[in-house]
Amino acid sequence: QVQLVESGGGLVQAGGSLRLSCAASRSINVIAWYRQAPGKQRDELVAAISNGGTTNYGDSVKGRFTISRDNAKNTVYLQMNSLKPEDTAVYRCKGDYAGRLYWGQGTQVTVSS
C-alpha cells in the first residue's frame, strides 16, 4: 500500500508562482504530476521524474514548470512559475509501485486573470 499526499495548491494571480508537494509513504521510482481542468474528462500529464532525476514535461508547461525530488523525504515538488488561467485544474500525483498505480487526492490550483 502506498499513500501519496499533495499540498501547496491555492489561488494565485496570472503571472504568479506556486510550489506543489507530493509526499509518498515509501520510495517510488517514477512519480508524475497530472492535472484535470474544469469541464475536461482526461488527465493531462504535467511532469514526471524518476529516482535518478530524469524528467519529462508536458508541452504546455515546458519552460515554466520544474519538477524535482528529495529522495530522502520521498517527496516530489512541482515549481510552477508564470502561471496562466489555463493552468487552473486539480493537480494530482501518481506513482507506480509493485505493478499498481496509486493516486493522491489532489490539490486545487486556481489562476485568476
Side-chain angles (χ1 to χ4, degrees):
Q1 192 74 12
V2 175
Q3 283 81 46
L4 299 171
V5 180
E6 302 98 335
S7 61
L11 173 64
V12 64
Q13 288 188 333
S17 299
L18 282 174
R19 189 176 84 152
L20 306 183
S21 299
C22 172
S25 57
R26 64 191 312 153
S27 176
I28 298 177
N29 181 23
V30 177
I31 291 182
W33 282 98
Y34 284 80
R35 67 186 182 186
Q36 187 172 35
K40 294 191 176 181
Q41 292 186 330
R42 299 186 68 177
D43 288 316
E44 174 192 5
L45 172 66
V46 178
I49 187 167
S50 70
N51 255 338
T54 300
T55 58
N56 183 37
Y57 293 93
D59 288 340
S60 62
V61 306
K62 286 179 180 176
R64 299 188 297 124
F65 291 10
T66 302
I67 191 169
S68 62
R69 66 188 295 162
D70 184 337
N71 289 335
K73 297 180 179 179
N74 294 332
T75 299
V76 170
Y77 304 98
L78 184 68
Q79 178 66 43
M80 306 186 295
N81 298 329
S82 302
L83 283 162
K84 305 175 182 179
E86 51 263 44
D87 293 318
T88 295
V90 175
Y91 286 70
R92 297 194 296 166
C93 57
K94 184 191 78 173
D96 183 345
Y97 182 80
R100 291 186 61 184
L101 293 179
Y102 295 88
W103 291 87
Q105 82 287 352
T107 186
Q108 176 70 44
V109 171
T110 302
V111 184
S112 63
S113 57

